[in-house]
Amino acid sequence: MSEYDDIINLPHHVSTVRAHMSLHDRAAQFLPFAALTGYEDAIRETGRITQEQITLSESEIEGLNERLHILAEEAGSHPKICVTYFVPDEKKDGGAYETAEGYVKRIDEYRRILIMEDGRQIPMEDMIELDGDIFSEAQ
C-alpha cells in the first residue's frame, strides 16, 4: 500500500470560483520564453541582401535619354513599355532592381518622373533600361 492510496480515487477538483482554463491557454504556459524579443527579426534583416545601384556609362545614358525623348513625344497615346529601375532600400544601404511593365500615363519633366497608369511613379535617374514596341517603330 502506498502513501497516496487515500486520495488516488477521489474525483478531480473543479473550482467554483474560477472558470476552466482552455487547452490552448494551458499549453501557452509551457511555451519557450523569448527573452530577446525582436532578435531574430534583426538577424533576418542583417542577412537580407541588397544591391548597389549601377552607374551607367555616358553612351548608356545617351541611349536612355533618346528613348525618354521618344516616349515624351508619344506619351499622349499611352504606350506600353517595360522599364527596369532601382528602388532604394528603406532600412539599409543599397536596394533592388525592379522591372515594371505597363502603360505610360504621363511624364512629369519638372520632377523627372515617369508616371504609369497603375499609379507607379518611377524617377528617371533610377532607370537603367527602357523597352517597348514604341522604340522599334521610331527607328
Side-chain angles (χ1 to χ4, degrees):
M1 187 166 219
S2 79
E3 59 186 287
Y4 299 111
D5 283 343
D6 59 331
I7 62 170
I8 198 83
N9 292 322
L10 290 178
H12 178 73
H13 173 71
V14 178
S15 174
T16 57
V17 181
R18 293 196 169 99
H20 184 70
M21 186 182 284
S22 72
L23 288 177
H24 181 268
D25 291 340
R26 225 174 133 71
Q29 295 181 69
F30 301 102
L31 289 176
F33 174 68
L36 300 174
T37 304
Y39 179 72
E40 287 196 24
D41 292 336
I43 293 294
R44 198 173 307 114
E45 177 63 27
T46 303
R48 192 169 50 85
I49 305 294
T50 57
Q51 296 174 317
E52 293 296 320
Q53 188 168 11
I54 296 170
T55 304
L56 298 177
S57 68
E58 289 296 322
S59 62
E60 291 171 324
I61 292 172
E62 187 177 313
L64 190 59
N65 283 336
E66 287 176 16
R67 287 182 174 228
L68 283 169
H69 182 72
I70 293 168
L71 187 61
E73 290 176 352
E74 299 294 327
S77 64
H78 306 287
K80 184 175 184 179
I81 63 164
C82 182
V83 60
T84 303
Y85 61 101
F86 183 76
V87 179
D89 194 287
E90 295 177 358
K91 296 183 179 180
K92 43 196 292 197
D93 290 339
Y97 281 94
E98 291 186 11
T99 300
E101 190 170 334
Y103 296 93
V104 175
K105 182 174 183 181
R106 68 184 182 93
I107 295 177
D108 186 338
E109 291 187 30
Y110 178 74
R111 292 177 25 210
R112 296 199 38 82
I113 293 176
L114 175 67
I115 302 170
M116 305 294 282
E117 285 191 345
D118 64 2
R120 193 178 343 216
Q121 296 186 7
I122 303 169
M124 290 180 194
E125 62 268 2
D126 292 338
M127 294 180 192
I128 62 165
E129 192 174 320
L130 188 57
D131 202 11
D133 291 340
I134 187 173
F135 304 114
S136 59
E137 294 168 4
Q139 293 176 351

